[in-house]
Amino acid sequence: MKLAVSATGTDLDSEIDPRFGRCAYFILVNSDDMTFEAIENKSMSLGGGAGIQSAQFIASTGAQVLITGNVGPNASRTLNAAGIDVIVGVSGPVREAIEQYTKGELSPTNQPNVPDHFGMGRGMGRGMGMGRGMGRGMGMQGGFVPPQAPPSPSPDQELGALKKDAKALREQLNSILARIKDLEEK
C-alpha cells in the first residue's frame, strides 16, 4: 500500500512534520517493502492555498493514506474527496509511524484537527533566517499556542467551501485533460 507522510527530512528516520500543507517534504512509502521516495513540498512557501495544493499533489501520487501531524479544513476536504485516509496527531520518526499504521495502531479521521492557516502561525518557521543565532533564547516569549478544534462551519459555509474546492479540482482536471490531448496529438 502506498502511504504519504509529511516529513522534516528525506529519509525514514526523519521526524514527521506537524504541518501538512507547509511541510518540508513528503515521503511516499510502499508499506509492503518499505521502499520510499522523498519529494520536496513545492507548496511550502505559498501565500495561501498550501493545504489544498499539497492535498492535490498527494492525490496525484496515488497514495491511499496520509500520515501527518495536523491538517486544516480545506486540505481535509480535498483529501476526503480524493478518497485518501487521513491520520492526524502523529509525531516521531516516519519509520515508527509506518510501523504503527501497519500494526493497525493508527486510525483515520475525516475531520481537520487545526483551523485554517494554522501552519502559517508563529513558531512554525524552519529557522532559515540570516541571523547569527546569538540571541538569548527569547524568540518564543509568546509561548506555544496548542491546536484547538476549529469551529464547525455552517451548512452555507461548508457548501461554499466545497464549491470552491470543486472549482479548483475542475480547473486542475481541465488542465490535465488539455495536456493529455496536446500529447496525444503529437
Side-chain angles (χ1 to χ4, degrees), residues 20-22 43 46 48-57 71-72 74-76 78-79:
F20 166 64
R22 297 185 188 285
S43 302
L46 288 177
I52 293 173
Q53 291 296 317
S54 293
Q56 290 172 342
F57 171 74
V71 68
N74 293 333
S76 178
T78 304
L79 292 161

Side-chain angles (χ1 to χ4, degrees), residues 60-91:
S60 76
T61 68
Q64 297 152 297
V65 176
L66 167 69
I67 299 173
T68 189
N70 299 299
V71 68
N74 293 333
S76 178
R77 280 191 295 274
T78 304
L79 292 161
N80 289 334
I84 297 171
D85 285 340
V86 180
I87 299 170
V88 297
V90 184
S91 61

Side-chain angles (χ1 to χ4, degrees), residues 152-170:
S152 296
S154 72
D156 288 340
Q157 289 172 320
E158 185 175 7
L159 180 60
L162 289 172
K163 285 181 177 180
K164 182 179 173 184
D165 290 348
K167 181 181 177 191
L169 289 170
R170 199 174 311 112

Side-chain angles (χ1 to χ4, degrees), residues 9-178:
T10 59
D11 60 46
L12 297 179
D13 295 319
S14 300
E15 293 291 311
I16 292 177
D17 197 318
R19 305 159 300 174
F20 166 64
R22 297 185 188 285
C23 68
Y25 298 93
F26 294 112
I27 297 184
L28 303 175
V29 182
N30 179 334
S31 64
D32 297 330
D33 60 10
M34 294 300 281
T35 56
F36 69 94
E37 173 185 15
I39 302 169
E40 185 176 3
N41 181 8
K42 303 282 190 223
S43 302
M44 179 174 68
S45 60
L46 288 177
I52 293 173
Q53 291 296 317
S54 293
Q56 290 172 342
F57 171 74
I58 293 300
S60 76
T61 68
Q64 297 152 297
V65 176
L66 167 69
I67 299 173
T68 189
N70 299 299
V71 68
N74 293 333
S76 178
R77 280 191 295 274
T78 304
L79 292 161
N80 289 334
I84 297 171
D85 285 340
V86 180
I87 299 170
V88 297
V90 184
S91 61
V94 170
R95 183 184 314 274
E96 287 180 19
I98 300 296
E99 289 169 1
Q100 288 176 323
Y101 177 78
T102 57
K103 290 178 187 174
E105 297 172 3
L106 302 176
S107 300
T109 181
N110 61 0
Q111 297 294 316
N113 67 331
V114 293
D116 282 331
H117 309 293
F118 179 78
M120 294 177 74
R122 68 174 181 225
M124 298 301 285
R126 292 183 60 210
M128 302 297 281
M130 298 300 288
R132 294 179 46 208
M134 303 286 287
R136 294 181 31 222
M138 304 300 273
M140 289 296 288
Q141 190 169 345
F144 173 72
V145 178
Q148 298 175 358
S152 296
S154 72
D156 288 340
Q157 289 172 320
E158 185 175 7
L159 180 60
L162 289 172
K163 285 181 177 180
K164 182 179 173 184
D165 290 348
K167 181 181 177 191
L169 289 170
R170 199 174 311 112
E171 289 171 358
Q172 183 180 20
L173 178 60
N174 288 339
S175 174
I176 291 169
L177 292 173

